[in-house]
Amino acid sequence: MNPADVLVEAGRLAAARKPYVLATVVNVVRPASARRGDRALVMPDGRVSGWIGGACSEPAVVREALQALADGEARVARMEGDCGSEGVVEVLIEPVLPAPLLTIVGESPAARTLAALACTVGWRVRDDHVEGADAVVVATMGHGDEELLAGALSSGAGYVGLVASAKRAASVLAELRARGLDEEAVLRVRAPAGLDLGPSSQEEIAVAILAELVAWRHTRGDSPFAAPTEAVDPVCGMTVAIGPGTEQTVHEGVTVAFCSARCRARFEAEPARYSGLRAP
Amino acid sequence: MRDVLETLERWAADGTPVAIATVVGTERSAPRDPGAVLAVSAGGDVAGSVTGGCVEPAVYGEARDVLAGGAPRLKTYGIADDEAFEVGLPCGGTVHIFVDRLDPGLVAPIAEAVRDERPIALEIKISGEDAGAKRLVGPGDDGPTGELLARGETGIVETPEGQVFVSSFAPRPNMYVFGAVDHAAAVATIGRYLGYRVTVCDARAKFVTRERFPDVDELVVEWPDRFLRSAPVDERTVICVLTHDHKFDVPALKVALETPAGYIGAMGARRTNEERAGRLRAEGVSEEDIARIHAPIGLKIGSRTPEEVAIAVAAQIVQVLRSPKPASEEVAAR
């Protein structure tokens, strides 16, 4: 995949709302196998398409890329001397995460304003089913709240909120308990939804809820992707992210990970020489 | 009533008789605030809402009855929680709704005043012999209605002859945004959602363009401090200082602190804020006044993008203006 194709593929993934990382070589001090402008995509499972240098820089880029997916922050990774003969390669790592999906159920002025405001901060908004939503806000003013909340809690949404007065919120939660929902699930419902900003108009309630959603998004780490599990390659000493494509072998009952097939082969030829360096 | 004024004007122009149902009071929680209106035309058309769908069918019936010659009436939809679903207001609240005919001659003066941002109030007598009597009141009124109008509030006034519901159409409060930066566009957009008349002001003409600020009510090329010396400011006014350039911000904040503005916020990282406070002190501004400035601007919710910052600012504005005491900078999620 050449650098232009990488951008075409990146556009396709973005349109399909798939997460990925765009890695671009921005600086090279020779000797290095990468050139400035080389690009690759790193997928959440660690797969790489494109070229950002050979076996030396790729594992390090993948590791940084997976961390970027986890924390949502772009960064520049600088790789020097990892593989003896190599020079310096600097790679701009840009995580691209799809906008969170918010389902708002119910017709009320607060629900309408919340939908409009959520769009302004770049969230996607739906008003029908809860499946696949990152956050669900129930604002029916009382028409079947219990069923909707129970559905939202079992849908995998990370944020579940109920628009109601404190009094009605308490009675809805009591009803959920009476229906046999476990306490842990009931406690996940933000009820009343939104930061407590004082007595509020419908528009102000929408602001309070969106402020809580922004806070929730950033405190959970901005990303559904966990930071990658890492290990140190005992041959070259490089830190690698462990994924489906990682070179691994089992030595004395312990899994050992490598940056490349070459390091793995060297380890397998002389395990005694390297096993002292094995990472836990 | 604002949301249905256009429709009411059209009906008035057609000479269509109209009944309006007005929320005149709420207890505990209710979906819409006092002043909300459901209007029903003689042709059966409907505009607006009084509860967001809960009791509209019943209210519609009352309005039709009034249009057919029935007397004005005050209805209460008050709900014990266990009966909630039957009656249709499951919010567990109570709403008082006054239903009567609307004289079409009253519509145009209200609509014009709202368009021109002039304060005007509609009085509706809701009890006593002459229930249903209406009167328009301007800002010159020195009675209780004038007092409500001056504060932009809607509510019931007790008089010896009975209760009068006062619906205030106060001009939108002003939000002044200084600094035509990216954050300003986002703050302006959400300010409009909250009902503010938004002005963006910056001395640098090349930044103050309609392309960058399609949403704002007014764009002004002027030094913010000079602009603020002649701009109207009251307790409802919100001032957001976003330039984070001391050259513009320090004079603007100095003038802002001389006004009764209800909210003053200033953008900038901690060092910028400390430096700015130092410069204000050097200009003779008191510690008490410096403490009025919300800086860094916005609640701490981890905002990253300008739009997220705007949400944090809006949430802080609501918190500060809704709170009778000095607000804390941080709110925990409920």
mmCIF file of all heavy atoms in Angstrom, chain A residues 78 88 170:
data_model
loop_
_atom_site.group_PDB
_atom_site.id
_atom_site.type_symbol
_atom_site.label_atom_id
_atom_site.label_comp_id
_atom_site.label_asym_id
_atom_site.label_seq_id
_atom_site.Cartn_x
_atom_site.Cartn_y
_atom_site.Cartn_z
ATOM 1 N N ARG A 78 9.794 8.885 18.531
ATOM 2 C CA ARG A 78 11.146 9.009 17.993
ATOM 3 C C ARG A 78 11.870 7.694 18.236
ATOM 4 O O ARG A 78 11.942 7.212 19.369
ATOM 5 C CB ARG A 78 11.861 10.154 18.705
ATOM 6 C CG ARG A 78 13.272 10.397 18.232
ATOM 7 C CD ARG A 78 13.904 11.503 19.070
ATOM 8 N NE ARG A 78 15.336 11.541 18.882
ATOM 9 C CZ ARG A 78 15.938 12.285 17.948
ATOM 10 N NH1 ARG A 78 15.212 13.038 17.131
ATOM 11 N NH2 ARG A 78 17.255 12.269 17.821
ATOM 12 N N VAL A 88 17.727 7.562 12.776
ATOM 13 C CA VAL A 88 16.611 8.039 13.594
ATOM 14 C C VAL A 88 15.379 8.190 12.710
ATOM 15 O O VAL A 88 15.461 8.708 11.602
ATOM 16 C CB VAL A 88 16.947 9.394 14.246
ATOM 17 C CG1 VAL A 88 15.774 9.898 15.075
ATOM 18 C CG2 VAL A 88 18.203 9.264 15.102
ATOM 19 N N ALA A 170 -36.048 8.816 42.098
ATOM 20 C CA ALA A 170 -35.973 7.854 43.193
ATOM 21 C C ALA A 170 -37.030 6.764 43.027
ATOM 22 O O ALA A 170 -36.767 5.582 43.264
ATOM 23 C CB ALA A 170 -36.148 8.575 44.528
#
